[in-house]
Amino acid sequence: MIIFKQSRSTLWLLVISLLSLVACASDAPESVTPTTPPLAQSIRFHTWVEDVPQEILDQFTQETGVAIEFITYESQDEAIANLRNGGIYDVVVLDNKYVAVAIAEERLAPLDYSIITNFRNISPNFRDLAYDPQNQFSVPYNWGTLGIVVNPEKVSRPITQWADLWDEAFLGKVVMWNGIRTSVGITLKVLGYDANTTNFDELAQAETKLMELRPSILAFVGSSSEVVPLLTEGDGAIALGYVGDIFAAEEAGFNFEYVIPEEGTLVWGDNFAIPKNSPNIYTAQVFINYLLRPDIGAKILEYNYYSTPNDGVAPFVDEALRNNPLIFPPNDVLQNSSLILSLGAEVEARYAEIWDRFVQGNTP
């Protein structure tokens, strides 16, 4: 068990191979000055609720004249469903798993790094990952852990493992962020299975176990602003949540605890991507390049408090945030952690079926 309060620690980065970007020289006999496409009047940005501060969207508009239509979702499952249903967006934030899914379904446009030059600020440790080799379709945005958020004024005993969520003492007191793979994933960990299992017998056991938790669920949420009142003014005492919930509580005058359970956390990563049906692909890339500027990345980190792969951000961020283990967890915290992986349509459908029954409260 790891319980976090405000303290300093070291930065942990995923170790992975370095991405090489190759620039090809033109064979044209004459030098031709490239023509820069005109910027769109506006673009549509699809991401989490409370993910970026309005000031950075306004600043982009002031610098370029391009208005940003900010369209939010409450889960990654909703985001990919919106793309599948033909939603028109210019930039969308997708987690690692759904980047792989969207690539397989040919829903993303390839990126032009002659436009997204600030990609150079992304740490080599976050480039060229398995879900998108050579970052052809996505740019790493932020990352973090999944844990148990505790209001210590309402919980009298130590919380050490995911299994504690099933304690009868928390009947009707558990708040849960929306998420198919996160909810099923922690249940698999409770049972001692891989959070990315493709074994249908193990998934059947997870379904039964997850349904046992259903009477304890007070609410399903999609933002930290929902978590805090439920755990303070409401009947909630404990939540399956994220680091951002801790900082949201702090800003509201409450001190929550963040527990990385003994069974191990789930590590998530979000990325910027451009849907293939975007009518403004050039402007979308200009916007992503803007978001990768160190000064802009720092403002985002200071707003949502999630870890960033942007190496250039550090000089622009307060030292206390740079050394905060909630934001940048040390290696020992990530023992037994699991990355959420894409598992193929048939298996993903089974996970979704379990989630639907869980939310609806239907016995399998």
Side-chain angles (χ1 to χ4, degrees), residues 182-203:
T182 51
S183 60
V184 181
I186 68 159
T187 308
L188 287 164
K189 279 187 169 288
V190 168
L191 296 172
Y193 298 139
D194 182 353
N196 295 292
T197 189
T198 59
N199 184 307
F200 278 67
D201 289 337
E202 294 175 356
L203 287 172

Side-chain angles (χ1 to χ4, degrees), residues 242-258:
Y242 299 97
V243 167
D245 302 338
I246 303 297
F247 289 97
E250 185 179 279
E251 291 175 355
F254 301 100
N255 292 313
F256 289 176
E257 294 177 349
Y258 186 73

Side-chain angles (χ1 to χ4, degrees), residues 77 84 97-98 101 105 180-181 184-185 188 194-204 206-207 340-356:
D77 311 307
R84 287 170 171 163
K97 177 180 79 73
Y98 276 133
V101 169
E105 296 179 359
I180 296 172
R181 294 293 303 281
V184 181
L188 287 164
D194 182 353
N196 295 292
T197 189
T198 59
N199 184 307
F200 278 67
D201 289 337
E202 294 175 356
L203 287 172
E207 182 172 13
I340 300 176
L341 306 175
S342 178
L343 302 176
E346 182 181 4
V347 178
E348 294 282 1
R350 182 69 180 104
Y351 277 82
E353 181 183 39
I354 294 171
W355 168 257
D356 288 342

